[in-house]
Each structure stands twice: as C-alpha cells, then as structure tokens.
Amino acid sequence: MAKTVYLGMIADIMHPGLINIITEGAKYGNVMIGLFTDKAIATHKRLPYLNYEQRKNVVEHINGVSEVVPQDDWSYVPNLKKYKPDYIIHGDDWKEGPDKYIREEVFALMKQQGGEVIEIPYTQGITSSGLAKELESLGTTPQARLKSLRRLISAKPIVRILESHCGLTGLIVEHTSIEVDNVHKEFDGMWSSSLTDSTSKGKPDIEAVDLTTRLHDLNDTLEVTTKPIIYDGDTGGKTEHFAFTVRTLERLGISAVIIEDKVGLKQNSLFGTDAVQTQDTIENFCHKIQVGKASQVTNDFMIIARIESLIAGKPVDDALERAFAYVEAGADGVMIHSKNKDGMDVKEFCTRFRMKDAHTPIVVVPTTYNQYTEEELATWGVNIVIYANHMLRSAYPAMVHCAESILKHSRSLEASNEYCMPIKEILNLIPGTKQK
Ligand code: SPV
Ligand code: MG
C-alpha cells in the first residue's frame, strides 16, 4: 500500500520552495496537504490574503498533491494523531526560532506512532514570510480590507482593535507586534473614534466634526495600513443621511460602522449620567438599522448597534430588550457600553445575551473596567475588544511634559533628552524620507 506523507502549509503565496517540498514528499508516497485554516493561523500570524477555499483550490491542482485536509490548529499533533501518516515532511527552517517547540512535539509523536520525520533543506532565498512582506508593501484593496473583519471574528477567540486617529497611529496599529511565550501578538485592526478624532482637532465629541472631515483624515490611515477599520458612527445622524454614510464607508473599504441609540445633542458616553443622555425609541433605532442594511452593497459590511442603556443609568434588562430588537432588525453585531468600573453590568449583559443568541458578535469598550484581560472578556462571550482612545491619551501628556520642560529650562536640551526620540530615529521612521 502507498505510504502517506503529511505536509502542513498555509499556501497563501505559492513559490518554488513549496513546489520543491511537494516534489520531495511525493518521492516517499502520497502527499496529504494539511492546509492551515484561518483559525489555525489567526492566533499566530496575520490572516492570509486568500481564504481557505481559495487556497485549497490552488493547492489541490498542484502536481504531486493527492489530498488536501484542513489543519485547524497551529500544532500538528491533532492531525498527526487523526491521519497517522507514515511520514511528515517539513523544511529544516523550523530548527530555530519560535516554531522549535512545534518540531519537538512532531518528532516525539511520530516516533510514538512509528512514523518518520523528513527534513529537507529550505530553499535558500525564498520564504513565505519574505514574500508576505513584499505583498504587504503592495497594500490591500478596499474589498479585501472590508471582508477581513468578518474573517477575523470567525477565526479568533477575540478580535483586538486599537484606536487610530492619524496616519502615524495607523502605522503603530499596523506594525506593532511582540512575542509572548512563542506566540506572536499584534492588533487586528483600527477604531476610528469620534472622541479622538474630535479631540485631536481641539473640538468636543458632539458630532461637530462632520463625516466629510473625519473621512478626509481617515484617508491618511487608509493609505498606510491594510488592517480592517471599525468606524465610530456616533448616532448615525438622520436616518436618511445614514443610508449615504453606509455607502460611503463601504466604498472606502471600512469593515463596520457602530451607531449608538442616542438622540439629541450627543454627549460622550464616558460622562455617563453626568450629562443628559437621551436614548432613541427601539422602533426608531430599528428603522435606522434597517435603512442602513438596505443601502449597503456587499454582504460583508457590518452595522453594529451600540446600546447606551447602561450609560443612561438604565438596567441590564433594558439593554437586553434593545439588543434583541436591534439584532432582529438586522444589526450584524451589538456593542454594549458602560462606564462602571467593576464591569459586572457588562458581564451580566454578555452572559444573558449569549444564553439566547450564541453567534451575534458582541463588542465591548473596556475603558473604565480595564482590569479584565482579553482572555477573560472572551469567556463572557465577547468577540471584539476596542481600546478606544489610548493612542491619543498616551501622546497628549507626553507632549505637554515636553512643552513644559522647554518653558522651564528656556531651551530644549532637557526636553530632547527626556521626552523626545532621537532625530535619527524620526528620520528613519517613515520609509522613503531620505531620497536615495
Ligand atoms: C469613542 O471612542 O469615541 C467612543 C467610545 O465612542 S467612548 O468614548 O467610550 O464613548
Ligand atoms: Mg464616539
């Protein structure tokens, strides 16, 4: 009987190195490709450009491939146990770096199952990650960016979003990453916040900065990033106007708009009941959602209904009644907001919402109840966490300290040493600053 050779791959970008490994594998038997799913990839890397079905379609047509099966975990162990291949083949590049432990567990399991690990020299000069970097420099399209939020929601336990209000903060969200316990961590996308968009213009967060102005500035972020963007649509304005807003956002490749069920002069939610917070009727707000949903062109754009009951001092019951009505009206997700510090009202909302609705995405903005980790919020049933204002809130005090230091010392020496990045760093921060 023919032997089975297992080969795990993402296969977003095909290149000669991968063809080489398939050809080598085929010398030992029938090559079974363990094709990584979005879920397997999402906790370790950026989602691939192509979705699973598209990648499968490419891989199953490659000479030497006998079968394609999904690999739903970053670790090979579950699939090796399931398919018990005679061989597993892998490039020898996993001997070093974060995937070392993956290699160790593969060796141990294959030995136990009586199989063999074949390592072949990785094709020099070509790696998928190298090509992915090239691809990144090509950017994205509005369509691909728009779709990516829904993909992330279904692939990740929780989607991590950070506020951005300019091109520079966009670059921070796009590129900041760290390794923790062999796991690569980065932000999944950006929040275009009405609070920080207004504040960075020196204006109050009362819908005084209009859509056209906000989108003009958001274009700076769109130009230098590829990750999905969630737009803070405030109240959505007049229902008739909201229909146009949806189309405009969709055309730009924004993935979702969140609108809140308030009426009258909008006040920032974090004032809570210190400001007059008037909620819309359920009926009116449902109508606004329906009009928005009817005006979108793709199936991918999301309209998320933000419930302000807890901000307005009403009970969780009121928030739940509204949430179910908004979902019924077509909302693609709900955002529950609160300014309580213990987060218990949000937790109760999420838990009770999930008892009746297992799937509709829940969004939270834990600005005041920031003691909970993403892992904890995920256990409540939360799908998206938004860090809604942290880029601006961290930059402002740093700038004020710098300004005060210049005043105090009548020169910039102390400020430069204490509060400023070196000139060399700022010059090299943005590629292309120096002409070659
Ligand atoms: C924003 O960031 O503008 C928000 C969230 O709407 S909050 O400021 O908490 O209301
Ligand atoms: Mg806002």
Side-chain angles (χ1 to χ4, degrees):
M1 214 178 77
K3 306 261 188 200
T4 308
V5 187
Y6 190 88
L7 169 56
M9 57 170 69
I10 294 175
D12 195 23
I13 308 166
M14 289 311 294
H15 59 82
L18 295 178
I19 302 296
N20 180 43
I21 204 163
I22 291 169
T23 314
E24 284 303 309
K27 292 179 184 165
Y28 294 85
N30 292 335
V31 175
M32 171 191 274
I33 302 290
L35 192 62
F36 283 63
T37 60
D38 277 3
K39 177 174 165 283
I41 300 163
T43 43
H44 285 259
K45 283 187 180 218
R46 293 278 300 270
L47 279 186
Y49 190 74
L50 302 177
N51 67 29
Y52 181 85
E53 289 307 320
Q54 291 169 322
R55 291 179 286 121
K56 179 165 183 272
N57 188 286
V58 171
V59 171
E60 63 196 4
H61 285 92
I62 294 176
N63 254 349
V65 170
S66 299
E67 193 183 351
V68 181
V69 298
Q71 177 163 329
D72 218 18
D73 204 289
W74 191 250
S75 162
Y76 286 76
V77 168
N79 264 13
L80 295 182
K81 281 187 174 161
K82 183 168 176 188
Y83 297 107
K84 298 197 171 42
D86 302 287
Y87 301 100
I88 172 169
I89 188 163
H90 200 287
D92 62 2
D93 55 322
W94 62 347
K95 284 184 179 165
E96 298 301 331
D99 279 352
K100 239 170 91 174
Y101 78 101
I102 291 278
R103 177 178 184 264
E104 284 157 17
E105 59 181 23
V106 164
F107 266 87
L109 183 66
M110 289 303 280
K111 188 168 173 208
Q112 190 189 325
Q113 292 188 169
E116 207 180 305
V117 183
I118 309 160
E119 283 178 323
I120 67 157
Y122 215 80
T123 308
Q124 292 303 315
I126 311 169
T127 66
S128 300
S129 2
L131 289 170
K133 277 213 159 47
E134 286 296 311
L135 193 73
E136 212 176 278
S137 71
L138 296 178
T140 183
T141 63
Q143 251 171 324
R145 189 201 292 260
L146 199 168
K147 278 174 195 255
S148 62
L149 182 65
R150 281 198 192 263
R151 281 179 72 192
L152 283 162
I153 293 169
S154 55
K156 295 194 75 167
I158 191 159
V159 176
R160 188 186 294 126
I161 301 289
L162 179 61
E163 169 257 329
S164 165
H165 57 272
C166 64
L168 194 58
T169 48
L171 285 175
I172 294 174
V173 183
E174 181 82 8
H175 296 297
T176 305
S177 70
I178 58 164
E179 300 284 331
V180 193
D181 300 332
N182 285 324
V183 175
H184 176 84
K185 289 185 82 173
E186 59 181 86
F187 291 95
D188 296 307
M190 286 146 272
W191 167 241
S192 172
S193 151
S194 68
L195 175 64
T196 67
D197 277 3
S198 309
T199 306
S200 63
K201 293 189 181 306
K203 297 231 170 114
D205 182 17
I206 52 171
E207 296 186 279
V209 182
D210 65 9
L211 178 78
T212 311
T213 310
R214 284 185 63 202
L215 291 184
H216 181 269
D217 289 356
L218 186 57
N219 193 51
D220 291 338
T221 302
L222 287 166
E223 288 232 18
V224 296
T225 62
T226 62
K227 292 181 176 177
I229 297 175
I230 304 177
Y231 187 80
D232 177 358
D234 287 319
T235 63
K238 290 193 169 68
T239 301
E240 293 83 346
H241 295 178
F242 183 54
F244 289 99
T245 305
V246 166
R247 288 226 175 182
T248 307
L249 294 172
E250 198 182 16
R251 181 167 46 78
L252 289 173
I254 309 297
S255 302
V257 62
I258 300 187
I259 50 168
E260 56 195 271
D261 56 1
K262 286 207 297 237
V263 285
L265 180 64
K266 196 213 79 160
Q267 302 282 335
N268 184 275
S269 301
L270 298 173
F271 284 121
T273 49
D274 294 344
V276 180
Q277 309 274 6
T278 316
Q279 270 179 300
D280 205 347
T281 62
I282 293 183
E283 198 188 358
N284 278 347
F285 199 66
C286 284
H287 178 60
K288 201 180 267 188
I289 294 165
Q290 282 160 346
V291 169
K293 286 307 290 176
S295 62
Q296 72 184 60
V297 176
T298 66
N299 288 328
D300 301 308
F301 187 75
M302 299 175 76
I303 296 179
I304 298 173
R306 164 170 168 177
I307 299 139
E308 293 284 294
S309 306
L310 306 176
I311 293 292
K314 293 193 195 148
V316 173
D317 281 343
D318 183 83
L320 283 166
E321 184 191 350
R322 287 171 173 271
F324 292 125
Y326 300 160
V327 172
E328 185 69 26
D332 300 292
V334 293
M335 171 184 149
I336 182 67
H337 205 15
S338 168
K339 71 178 283 275
N340 283 354
K341 285 201 154 88
D342 66 12
M344 283 302 124
D345 49 355
V346 173
K347 183 177 182 181
E348 183 190 338
F349 172 92
C350 295
T351 322
R352 290 176 58 192
F353 182 81
R354 276 283 168 263
M355 283 180 201
K356 272 178 81 175
D357 182 332
H359 301 295
T360 302
I362 302 178
V363 183
V364 298
V365 180
T367 302
T368 52
Y369 53 101
N370 54 11
Q371 63 274 40
Y372 300 103
T373 61
E374 292 158 7
E375 290 74 16
E376 284 168 300
L377 296 173
T379 65
W380 300 0
V382 171
N383 301 85
I384 300 181
V385 55
I386 300 180
Y387 300 101
N389 42 48
H390 299 77
M391 291 293 93
L392 189 71
R393 279 173 59 207
S394 56
Y396 181 76
M399 292 192 283
V400 171
H401 285 143
C402 178
E404 285 174 349
S405 170
I406 295 174
L407 286 177
K408 188 169 159 196
H409 297 99
S410 303
R411 63 182 190 188
S412 66
L413 174 74
E414 293 76 9
S416 302
N417 288 345
E418 244 183 281
Y419 303 115
C420 299
M421 68 204 286
I423 295 287
K424 200 169 175 329
E425 252 178 58
I426 185 90
L427 289 178
N428 289 318
L429 184 68
I430 311 292
T433 301
K434 184 180 174 192
Q435 299 304 318
K436 294 207 174 78

